[in-house]
């Protein structure tokens, strides 16, 4: 948590995900990794071979874990609520027992809307140091989880550095690394290669994994009349594998076995939407909804084994089809947390898809989505750099907070009220410090009124000194008070 | 209109507001002004002294004007629909008979959602040349109307230059200039000074005017318990005047007289929301709704005299209160076109209010708002420069188009489809040319893959050559086709 001290002496407490990196009293060394907050908690729990406890199994037995206590504090809710939502499968706590570095967090409709930032190198560009820097940068701007989507060489080492330095849960899509292992030849993929990759990643400490087990063989022909076919990388890889082999998706066939592995580490499923729409035209079509129904069935199988489950969602959806998407997900997937990419509400603005999708993200968050996967301005065009990561994060923190406000989350309104009070009382420094991006707010103000006295001025450059409506309102209230005292006005 | 020629030989026609400035065959000279498209149309109409016809009176008599013909073409709708919506008061055509330079446009729920850009110097900064340049720049990025909100010296001359060079309707807030005329002393304002200012602006060619006639004396105390009081400049000026004089708002008292003046020039009312909320906390409160009811009454009086009317709206509104706002406006104001500022859906992101408000703007547009007043990143902090104007416009064109899509406006989907087709077929140049901002899309792509061959490449730097899901989909469809031909797969 972060405390903002105002010039009035009041303090505003804000949720913070940046871990030790913004704590002036902590020095971090990326080679050593950050402190292992959860190590004593995990060590204190009895480990039962062959039937590892998970946050879900503890919750179902009515037990409260240290992770739940931590979460209740940062969300400002009773710990019983955290436990009960997890027990019901309506919330998840992604926290691999091999990832002690994280500050635990919860993903569920009953809690603050969360934001995930995707990072990861590709075959074309990017380096390991850049990716670790991106992770720290993304959490600096409020990322609640990050996904490492690396596809190039050194996947294992990149992930190791990220995990050992990440204060937030880390997700992956194991099929990417599995495909690397078979030299990029889709037909050479197999359950065995995939399973070994998942085991490797579980051992390293990955907290949640996107698994495209719902892309069934029968659904692939449903995408034939689409405008943009299959746009999920995982979905297209599995579709190509099924056609090459003339067999069912091996992730679907081996789902029980996979679930048993994830259970041993308390890794959370993020059941991937391999058939999500890639254009407004394809939104909410038969292929997407057929897969969603299967994701619901798989979710029930996973929870039976005490493995936590999120469900991934689209993608590209016009505003009038967003609510339907959320309602179907809730109904088909037993209220498991929904985790959506955007959605983009129009296709016409490449270069600005953080905005086309922030609109959809705010709405889908309000309707009940638990976590929003950010979209950067570079979406559809190239790999995001640090500035793109920041722009994507800011747009999504706005969307998530707007959703928290609309949902009436306790505490969300207090932040807006503190900032509006500062604005009305011309406390410029407080306004800057309460802003999502204090540096930018300050620099925009200073472009036209840079001098220090302007920070106490009862106007800004928008209207100038003569026309400030808020200053006039203050004068008006004083006049009113004087009239009231004189009994002139009722 | 703008025609985009694709590499396939197809053409996509897009709505365009930039007038002669983007026509390579037209040279413009700001000193001479642009061509007077409407001059022959206006000259051809009989002018009846004392009872000037307006677009509304023509429409009510079932007559179709040249302006309506022009609009029907650019909206792609039957001209009778334009006439009927105007006749019903559900749409307006802001077109002062003294402003022949404009390309006529319509504002109403049945048509494309429009965007207004505010420009205007202030006492602190900005110059005349800068303001004209901003106007041209704003229409380059799609502004459907612009408002000149100048408050410094040279208001008259600034406006003259803007009017003579603007291909889009121009709106003003006459109380700003009236206040200049009395040396900034609110108590010295009078109906006479205001009336003369309105006449001066009508003669110059202003197409619509914001008039805060709904800020009644009884409503001012309703703002006392607000977090941010009165944030409309016009609203606060009139509130201060009423308190200083202990009398009713002179705009309310002289509304009939004012209407008669506007009728003579076919100037459209934009009935201002002087009591709009300035923070999430104050949204949809008693003060705002009391004023809205009065705006509905004033709208009926104006339309009785054949004067066209829009109603202005907020402001700052959390997502869950936006629909209520639109429904109340429709009900209280007889479906007169709603024209809203944003609304911002949270207060916490100064520096990014084009995004906090694009979310609200898209939603309120979908719910039925006819025109969106843009908000730039500098809102609450300073005056927008050219880059801010562009960022504000892009965010609002996204919001307006997302609303058009959600409303199912005929033709809106075609733009998204054309871009998605280009994306799926790796026609990069077509993607750039169809984008809202072609330059930015191209430069983002070129940052990582600058070479010309990459413009035909069947991948981009996001995933690299091995993992492109869309390329895999193409291969998959070819495999499927081959299997179909061999009778292997049904």
């Amino acid at each position: 948590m972060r405390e903002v001290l105002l010039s009035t002496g009041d303090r505003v407490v804000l949720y913070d995900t940046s871990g030790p990196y913004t704590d002036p009293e902590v020095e971090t060394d990326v080679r050593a990794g950050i402190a292992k907050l959860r190590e004593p908690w995990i060590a204190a729990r009895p480990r039962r071979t062959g039937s590892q406890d998970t946050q879900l199994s503890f919750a179902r037995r009515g037990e409260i874990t240290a992770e739940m206590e931590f979460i209740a504090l940062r969300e400002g809710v009773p710990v019983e609520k955290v436990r009960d939502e997890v027990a019901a499968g309506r919330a998840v706590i992604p926290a691999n027992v091999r990832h002690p570095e994280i500050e635990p967090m919860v993903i569920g409709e009953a809690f603050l809307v969360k934001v995930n930032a995707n990072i990861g190198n590709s075959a074309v560009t990017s380096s390991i140091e850049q990716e670790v820097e991106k992770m720290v940068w993304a959490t600096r701007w409020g990322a609640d989880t990050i996904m490492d989507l690396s596809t190039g060489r050194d996947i294992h080492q990149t992930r190791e550095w990220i995990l050992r330095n990440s204060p937030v849960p880390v997700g992956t899509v194991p099929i990417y690394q599995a495909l690397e292992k078979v030299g990029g030849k889709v037909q050479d993929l197999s359950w065995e290669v995939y399973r070994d990759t998942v085991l490797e990643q579980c051992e390293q400490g990955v907290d949640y994994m996107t698994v495209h087990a719902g892309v069934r063989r029968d659904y692939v022909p449903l995408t034939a009349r689409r405008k943009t076919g299959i746009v999920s990388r995982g979905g297209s890889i599995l579709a190509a594998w099924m056609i090459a082999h003339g067999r069912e998706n091996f992730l679907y066939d081996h789902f029980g076995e996979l679930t048993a592995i994830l259970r041993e580490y308390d890794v959370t499923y993020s059941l991937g939407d391999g058939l999500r729409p890639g254009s407004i035209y394809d939104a909410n079509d038969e292929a997407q909804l057929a897969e969603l129904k299967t994701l619901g069935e798989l979710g029930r199988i996973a929870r039976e084994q005490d493995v936590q489950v999120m469900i991934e969602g689209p993608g590209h959806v016009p505003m009038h089809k967003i609510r339907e998407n959320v309602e179907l997900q809730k109904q088909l997937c037993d209220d498991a947390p929904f985790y959506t990419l955007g959605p983009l509400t129009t296709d016409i603005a490449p270069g600005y898809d953080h905005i086309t999708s922030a609109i959809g993200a705010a709405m889908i968050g309000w309707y009940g989505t638990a976590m929003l996967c950010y979209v950067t301005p570079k979406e559809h065009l190239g790999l995001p750099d640090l500035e793109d990561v920041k722009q994507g994060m800011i747009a999504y923190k706005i969307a998530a907070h707007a959703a928290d406000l609309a949902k009436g989350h306790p505490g969300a309104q207090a932040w807006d009220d503190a900032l509006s009070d500062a604005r009305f009382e011309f406390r410029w420094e407080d306004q800057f410090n309460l802003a999502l991006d204090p540096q930018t707010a300050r620099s925009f103000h200073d472009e036209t009124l840079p001098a220090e006295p302007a920070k106490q001025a009862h106007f800004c450059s928008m209207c100038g000194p003569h026309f400030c409506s808020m200053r006039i309102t203050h004068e008006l209230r004083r006049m009113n008070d004087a009239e009231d005292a004189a009994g002139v006005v009722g």
Side-chain angles (χ1 to χ4, degrees), chain A:
Chain A
M1 286 184 285
R2 185 166 84 244
E3 202 177 56
V4 181
L5 175 63
L6 304 182
S7 61
T8 56
D10 292 334
R11 288 158 195 275
V12 178
V13 176
L14 302 177
Y15 193 99
D16 191 283
T17 64
S18 58
Y21 295 101
T22 51
D23 186 338
E25 289 174 18
V26 176
E27 273 192 40
T28 54
D29 169 6
V30 286
R31 275 154 211 287
I34 60 175
K36 299 182 190 328
L37 171 73
R38 294 174 64 224
E39 202 164 53
W41 305 347
I42 296 165
R45 290 198 281 255
R47 194 175 160 88
R48 297 179 295 175
T49 314
S51 60
Q52 174 62 22
D53 265 315
T54 65
Q55 297 291 329
L56 178 53
S57 65
F58 283 123
R60 281 179 163 165
R61 290 203 307 270
E63 292 179 39
I64 284 168
T65 62
E67 286 83 357
M68 295 174 199
E69 300 271 16
F70 188 96
I71 287 164
L73 265 177
R74 73 194 302 202
E75 294 268 348
V77 297
V79 68
E80 292 76 16
K81 180 171 178 180
V82 179
R83 181 195 61 199
D84 295 349
E85 290 294 308
V86 170
R90 289 191 299 264
V92 296
I93 299 173
N96 185 329
V97 291
R98 300 289 174 113
H99 193 195
E101 290 89 353
I102 58 167
E103 297 181 348
M105 50 81 71
V106 69
I107 302 168
E109 184 180 357
F111 306 99
L112 289 164
V113 175
K114 303 304 188 297
V115 177
N116 171 70
N118 287 339
I119 57 175
N121 58 356
S122 84
V124 175
T125 177
S126 194
S127 77
I128 294 179
E129 287 75 14
Q130 283 175 345
E131 295 313 315
V132 175
E133 195 188 356
K134 268 187 208 167
M135 177 277 292
V136 174
W137 183 245
T139 61
R140 161 71 188 81
W141 294 108
D144 293 284
T145 74
I146 60 130
M147 287 193 82
D148 174 19
L149 304 185
S150 297
T151 57
R153 298 164 196 209
D154 307 317
I155 285 185
H156 184 95
Q157 191 56 42
T158 305
R159 193 166 52 232
E160 184 66 24
W161 284 58
I162 289 175
L163 282 163
R164 298 292 76 81
N165 287 286
S166 178
V168 301
V170 174
T172 60
V173 188
I175 196 96
Y176 297 170
Q177 189 183 5
L179 188 55
E180 290 285 338
K181 289 183 178 177
V182 295
K185 298 200 181 86
V186 170
Q187 66 274 24
D188 292 350
L189 276 173
S190 65
W191 158 244
E192 290 73 21
V193 170
Y194 185 89
R195 178 196 61 203
D196 293 348
T197 306
V198 166
L199 271 165
E200 172 190 338
Q201 298 195 5
C202 285
E203 282 287 327
Q204 272 191 302
V206 169
D207 301 287
Y208 65 92
M209 294 183 188
T210 294
V211 176
H212 298 98
V215 185
R216 296 199 61 181
R217 199 179 166 200
D218 288 348
Y219 305 158
V220 176
L222 301 179
T223 67
R225 267 183 287 279
R226 278 184 161 184
K227 210 163 256 306
T228 47
I230 300 176
V231 295
S232 147
R233 278 192 274 171
S236 63
I237 291 165
L238 288 159
W241 186 91
M242 289 189 282
I243 292 188
H245 290 271
R247 283 167 53 195
E248 182 58 273
N249 182 344
F250 62 79
L251 295 175
Y252 183 83
D253 281 346
H254 293 272
F255 191 75
E257 219 173 317
L258 184 59
T259 303
I261 297 171
L262 265 57
R263 181 184 170 129
E264 282 304 297
Y265 299 85
D266 198 1
V267 169
T268 299
Y269 268 121
S270 186
L271 294 176
D273 54 337
L275 302 180
R276 67 169 176 268
S279 56
I280 292 295
Y281 183 91
D282 293 342
N284 294 23
D285 74 348
E286 201 186 351
Q288 187 202 334
L289 299 181
E291 183 188 31
L292 187 61
K293 189 154 181 270
T294 300
L295 298 184
E297 291 161 13
L298 295 170
R300 282 187 281 279
I301 293 169
R303 282 190 301 272
E304 274 167 27
Q305 295 190 45
D306 289 335
V307 171
Q308 304 182 89
V309 176
M310 297 190 279
I311 306 288
E312 294 187 11
H316 294 238
V317 187
M319 283 192 286
H320 63 299
K321 293 186 178 176
I322 293 176
R323 189 189 283 269
E324 178 193 20
N325 223 290
V326 178
E327 285 175 358
L328 281 169
Q329 187 270 342
K330 286 184 184 181
Q331 177 195 324
L332 295 172
C333 303
D334 315 288
D335 296 315
F338 204 22
Y339 167 31
T340 63
L341 177 68
L344 283 71
T345 54
T346 169
D347 302 333
I348 64 163
Y352 298 86
D353 280 329
H354 61 313
I355 299 179
T356 65
S357 66
I359 294 167
M363 293 175 67
I364 211 165
W366 172 29
Y367 297 151
T369 290
M371 184 156 76
L372 308 169
C373 182
Y374 86 166
V375 172
T376 79
K378 287 275 167 61
E379 185 76 17
H380 299 114
L381 297 168
L383 273 186
D385 59 21
L386 287 182
E387 180 59 22
D388 298 316
V389 168
K390 176 182 167 182
Q391 293 301 323
M393 277 309 307
I394 297 264
Y396 272 69
K397 291 304 277 189
I398 288 170
H401 184 73
D404 289 336
L405 274 178
K407 285 166 67 179
H409 188 281
Q413 178 87 38
W415 189 358
D416 292 69
D417 290 351
L419 199 140
S420 291
D421 282 338
R423 181 170 282 155
F424 190 62
E425 291 164 13
F426 298 100
R427 289 185 270 112
W428 289 99
E429 286 295 339
D430 289 347
Q431 267 192 75
F432 304 148
N433 291 334
L434 285 165
L436 210 45
D437 179 0
Q439 292 91 328
T440 297
R442 185 176 284 110
S443 77
F444 279 2
H445 175 270
D446 289 1
E447 272 179 33
T448 39
L449 287 175
E452 209 43 48
K455 301 287 181 4
Q456 280 85 49
H458 280 199
F459 64 93
C460 72
S461 68
M462 286 189 76
C463 308
H466 298 310
F467 284 86
C468 179
S469 59
M470 293 207 300
R471 213 209 41 220
I472 293 177
T473 302
H474 282 284
E475 286 167 10
L476 198 143
R477 285 189 181 177
R478 274 195 298 275
M479 287 160 77
N480 241 336
D481 289 348
E483 284 178 348
D484 279 351
V488 178
V489 167

